[in-house]
Amino acid sequence: MGGYYWLFPCLLICFLLHTHGSHSLNQTCNSTDLEALLAFSSGLDRKGSRLVGWGPNDAACCSWTGVSCDLGRVVGLDLSNKGLHGGISSAISLLDGLVTLNLSRNSLGGQPPEDLGRLARMRILDLSMNVLSGAFPTSEHGYPAIEVVNVSFNQFKGPHPVFPGATNLMVLDISSNAFSGGINTTALCVAPVKALRFSGNEFTGEIRAGFGRCKMLTELSVDGSGLTGKLPKDLYTISELRRLSLRENQFSGSLGKDLGNLSQLMHIDLSYNMFSGVIPDVFGGLRRLEFLNLATNFLTGTLPASLSSCAMLRVINLRNNSLSGKIAIDFSLLPRLNVLDAGINKLSGPIPRDLMWCTKLRTLNLGRNLLDGEIPESFKHLRSLLILSLAQNGFTNLSSALRVLQHLPKLTSLVLTRSFRGGQTMPMDSISGFKSLQVLVLANCALSGMIQPWLENSKNLRVLDISWNKLSGPIPPWLVSPGFGHLVKLHVLNLSRNNFSGRIPDELSNMSSLEVLNLAHNDLTGFIPSSLTKLTFLSKFDVSYNNLTGDIPTGGQFSTFTKESFVGNAALCFSQNGPCFGKATFEETENDVTDTVSTMPAMTYITAEAGFAFGLLTVCNILFFARAWRAAYFVAVDRFFDMLYVIIRVEVNKLRRKWENKEHP
């Protein structure tokens, strides 16, 4: 019985809550509260009033939807996610016994009533995810008992609210609004605040000193808010800080060694800023660190070896900086690591063999560096790896690499663009295929030979890009024939810039999911099969610069393709008596070829690395983020995606401004 010592008090609490709730439901609420609730309901549109279901003929308002009472007084009002429209009536301030007010996830508009702060007992206020606008009403003595304020995801403007009379305030979430001006650091910590969430606003200027007063602060999030300048030194004195997220601003300067003073930190995100200099080697004191993101800055120097001391690390993202030298981290001390992204840097030397100890590693991106040598045999032990990008390095022995990587049972994305440029034959021996692989990119690796049958076993492929090589021979029948277990799930097939010959297989029309088919710059002959018009999802088709003849099929998606898709085929015609494509002028010098290869078509990069980017986003969202993170996080693999993200951010802000200027019902 000793093991169940906790059972009796739990049952007692449940019994008391049940009897209290039953008592509450049978109460006739205070007449003032009744009138206030009816006035609140009348401020909603008719649909909202019906959804609430309150009525003047029922005086037992303690039994109404969303209402909770104590001794006949309304103490709680929870109408979250009820599809409500309209405004918040000022009559709500008459509910002077109210402790909790939750109107989140509706479509309430206008400005909250000025008297909202007069509710002297209110401890929790949640107005998040509405279309409330204007300045948020505060006063010097308002909200005296408030502990949690959440007004995130609205359209509030003006200076951010402060609560000078709220000595019990612990959580303030004003993220995703249009608050502007500077951050009033000196007015934020009159209470023992534990969480400040200010992300997604329109602040300007620098963060001034003052956060050092927030001795109890455990979370500070000011992402995507337009802030500039250096970080104030007193920020490094908040000894209880566990989460620091300042990404997508314009902070500059170096990261100080005082970062090591924040011994309780579990989450650091300073990505998409303008920090420069070396990463301070101070992580030996951050033993609780789980998440480190310094991507897309101007950081230089080597990887800090003290990261080896952070045994709790799950995510290391140092992508898109100018880090150099060898990867001198002892990965045998990081058994929990899930994501390692150090792509787009200047790292050199071999891949560390001790990565094998990171058996929980799911995403590994070392692309666009100066790494060399062979893929370690020890990679066989990375049995949890889902996504691997080693693009644009200087590795050797592709055959050995594929023989090693085929042992990874969960691998879904493999990007090896321009990683093996030593002039090798397409590997064929001792490779049985990749059964889970969805994205395979072997573009621009100077491969010769033929497409090998082991690819037939990769039946889950969505993207196959082996362009910009020297492969030859016909397109093999098993690639496209239903009778040979063809790759039916392919969305992207890129065989361009090779030496393939023979006819375009008619069976390609059976690949009903195909969206991109690129066969350009080969030695293909014969007709374009008219059956390809059945590919209703085909959005990009390119057979330019081959030796094709006959009429171009009409109908279906072929009506959307431009002449650039067909140029360079001497006897290919639009119709029986229509114009034909003579050999276009296409003369390339050796320098032209080099320049073209170094700036491969954008579509190639998009299709080649889309799987990697999407997979990385999916993994991170599933594993690490409980709140609504912006979709662009970890979306990029190279600078193209960084630029794309900036464009999206600008357009979203424009749309939000237009939305604010509209009249809402």
Side-chain angles (χ1 to χ4, degrees):
M1 293 295 291
Y4 299 93
Y5 65 92
W6 47 269
L7 187 58
F8 177 74
C10 288
L11 291 173
L12 178 61
I13 292 173
C14 292
F15 173 76
L16 292 175
L17 288 174
H18 174 73
T19 55
H20 173 75
S22 300
H23 177 64
S24 175
L25 291 175
N26 294 325
Q27 296 179 65
T28 300
C29 68
N30 178 275
S31 59
T32 303
D33 292 350
L34 176 62
E35 294 177 5
L37 291 173
L38 291 174
F40 170 81
S41 178
S42 66
L44 304 174
D45 64 2
R46 293 181 179 179
K47 181 179 178 182
S49 298
R50 289 196 303 271
L51 287 171
V52 172
W54 301 347
N57 299 323
D58 181 6
C61 65
C62 291
S63 63
W64 290 359
T65 300
V67 177
S68 56
C69 295
D70 184 28
L71 300 178
R73 298 304 309 272
V74 174
V75 295
L77 182 58
D78 185 351
L79 296 175
S80 58
N81 199 24
K82 297 294 185 184
L84 305 182
H85 292 73
I88 302 176
S89 170
S90 59
I92 203 167
S93 61
L94 299 176
L95 298 172
D96 55 11
L98 201 61
V99 175
T100 300
L101 176 59
N102 186 353
L103 302 176
S104 64
R105 292 177 290 165
N106 287 294
S107 298
L108 298 171
Q111 189 174 11
E114 291 285 341
D115 292 338
L116 196 61
R118 293 176 52 187
L119 296 174
R121 297 184 60 195
M122 187 164 61
R123 297 201 298 267
I124 298 176
L125 173 64
D126 191 347
L127 303 178
S128 62
M129 301 183 75
N130 282 283
V131 287
L132 299 167
S133 58
F136 184 82
T138 58
S139 60
E140 183 177 356
H141 302 292
Y143 305 93
I146 201 72
E147 297 176 5
V148 176
V149 175
N150 187 355
V151 296
S152 62
F153 293 93
N154 279 286
Q155 299 173 14
F156 290 117
K157 295 182 178 180
H160 71 80
V162 294
F163 300 85
T167 57
N168 296 317
L169 184 64
M170 292 189 294
V171 176
L172 175 58
D173 190 344
I174 62 170
S175 55
S176 296
N177 281 282
F179 292 115
S180 57
I183 294 180
N184 190 351
T185 55
T186 58
L188 287 174
C189 293
V190 295
V193 178
K194 292 186 176 182
L196 294 174
R197 300 171 186 145
F198 280 32
S199 300
N201 283 286
E202 299 178 359
F203 299 121
T204 55
E206 303 181 7
I207 292 183
R208 293 174 293 194
F211 276 123
R213 301 175 56 194
C214 306
K215 300 299 183 183
M216 303 300 294
L217 196 64
T218 62
E219 177 184 348
L220 176 61
S221 301
V222 197
D223 303 326
S225 296
L227 294 168
T228 60
K230 299 180 179 180
L231 299 183
K233 291 184 178 180
D234 67 342
L235 190 64
Y236 299 117
T237 66
I238 309 175
S239 59
E240 296 297 317
L241 200 60
R242 288 167 171 75
R243 179 186 176 91
L244 176 63
S245 190
L246 305 175
R247 62 187 173 94
E248 299 172 45
N249 286 286
Q250 299 179 46
F251 291 120
S252 58
S254 59
L255 300 176
K257 291 185 177 181
D258 291 339
L259 181 65
N261 296 336
L262 304 178
S263 59
Q264 302 300 310
L265 268 179
M266 302 172 66
H267 182 113
I268 308 173
D269 193 343
L270 304 179
S271 60
Y272 293 91
N273 278 287
M274 302 172 67
F275 291 112
S276 58
V278 301
I279 302 175
D281 198 9
V282 294
F283 294 93
L286 278 60
R287 301 299 180 95
R288 303 184 64 184
L289 191 63
E290 299 181 16
F291 185 102
L292 173 65
N293 190 353
L294 303 177
T296 311
N297 281 285
F298 299 102
L299 298 170
T300 57
T302 59
L303 301 185
S306 59
L307 283 174
S308 308
S309 303
C310 303
M312 306 294 288
L313 266 174
R314 294 184 296 158
V315 174
I316 300 176
N317 189 354
L318 305 174
R319 183 182 154 276
N320 197 11
N321 282 286
S322 295
L323 301 171
S324 58
K326 295 185 177 181
I327 302 176
I329 298 175
D330 187 349
F331 290 101
S332 67
L333 302 176
L334 303 178
R336 302 190 179 194
L337 195 63
N338 291 141
V339 175
L340 174 60
D341 190 343
I344 317 180
N345 279 287
K346 301 176 182 179
L347 299 173
S348 58
I351 296 178
R353 296 182 181 277
D354 58 4
L355 265 172
M356 63 176 288
W357 299 108
C358 300
T359 55
K360 295 183 179 180
L361 194 65
R362 294 172 179 259
T363 299
L364 176 60
N365 180 17
L366 298 175
R368 297 184 65 174
N369 278 288
L370 305 173
L371 300 171
D372 54 27
E374 295 189 9
I375 307 302
E377 185 80 13
S378 59
F379 260 46
K380 291 181 179 180
H381 299 286
L382 298 178
R383 310 279 295 176
S384 297
L385 197 63
L386 298 171
I387 301 161
L388 175 62
S389 176
L390 302 174
Q392 299 193 43
N393 281 284
F395 299 117
T396 58
N397 201 342
L398 176 60
S399 296
S400 173
L402 293 177
R403 283 195 294 268
V404 170
L405 298 176
Q406 69 176 337
H407 292 284
L408 305 182
K410 298 181 180 179
L411 191 65
T412 59
S413 295
L414 177 59
V415 181
L416 300 176
T417 306
R418 300 182 69 185
S419 290
F420 298 85
R421 287 174 280 171
Q424 302 180 65
T425 303
M426 185 70 164
M428 56 184 295
D429 297 328
S430 304
I431 299 176
S432 59
F434 297 78
K435 292 181 172 55
S436 299
L437 206 60
Q438 298 179 22
V439 176
L440 175 61
V441 185
L442 289 171
N444 199 9
C445 290
L447 292 173
S448 59
M450 303 176 65
I451 298 178
Q452 297 300 323
W454 56 263
L455 275 171
E456 182 183 1
N457 296 324
S458 303
K459 294 183 174 61
N460 288 306
L461 272 181
R462 267 69 168 177
V463 175
L464 175 60
D465 187 347
I466 51 177
S467 61
W468 292 81
N469 284 293
K470 301 177 182 179
L471 298 171
S472 59
I475 298 175
W478 55 260
L479 183 66
V480 294
S481 173
F484 289 85
H486 66 290
L487 307 182
V488 294
K489 297 181 180 179
L490 269 183
H491 291 256
V492 176
L493 177 60
N494 191 344
L495 305 180
S496 65
R497 302 277 179 172
N498 282 284
N499 300 316
F500 291 116
S501 58
R503 307 174 70 88
I504 299 176
D506 182 75
E507 290 84 358
L508 277 170
S509 61
N510 295 320
M511 305 177 77
S512 57
S513 298
L514 208 58
E515 300 176 41
V516 175
L517 176 59
N518 193 342
L519 304 175
H521 293 275
N522 281 288
D523 295 318
L524 298 172
T525 57
F527 300 93
I528 299 176
S530 59
S531 60
L532 295 184
T533 58
K534 296 192 301 183
L535 298 176
T536 55
F537 292 105
L538 197 63
S539 59
K540 179 176 174 58
F541 178 75
D542 194 345
V543 291
S544 60
Y545 300 102
N546 281 281
N547 295 303
L548 300 171
T549 59
D551 293 341
I552 296 174
T554 57
Q557 291 295 95
F558 274 76
S559 62
T560 67
F561 302 141
T562 63
K563 64 180 181 180
E564 284 77 13
S565 299
F566 308 101
V567 297
N569 291 277
L572 194 60
C573 306
F574 268 121
S575 62
Q576 187 171 3
N577 297 313
C580 299
F581 291 102
K583 279 291 185 183
T585 302
F586 187 73
E587 298 179 358
E588 290 182 321
T589 65
E590 184 177 349
N591 290 335
D592 293 331
V593 175
T594 303
D595 292 340
T596 305
V597 170
S598 64
T599 57
M600 292 175 65
M603 189 62 198
T604 299
Y605 277 118
I606 296 172
T607 58
E609 297 183 342
F612 171 79
F614 175 77
L616 182 56
L617 174 65
T618 303
V619 169
C620 291
N621 278 336
I622 292 174
L623 293 178
F624 309 119
F625 307 126
R627 294 179 58 80
W629 289 75
R630 289 175 177 76
Y633 194 78
F634 279 144
V635 74
V637 173
D638 57 22
R639 293 181 188 275
F640 171 82
F641 289 100
D642 294 336
M643 178 184 69
L644 181 63
Y645 176 71
V646 172
I647 293 172
I648 291 173
R649 286 277 303 169
V650 170
E651 293 303 316
V652 167
N653 286 334
K654 287 181 180 178
L655 290 173
R656 186 169 69 174
R657 298 284 76 75
K658 290 180 180 179
W659 180 259
E660 290 175 355
N661 294 328
K662 291 177 64 178
E663 290 186 9
H664 299 291

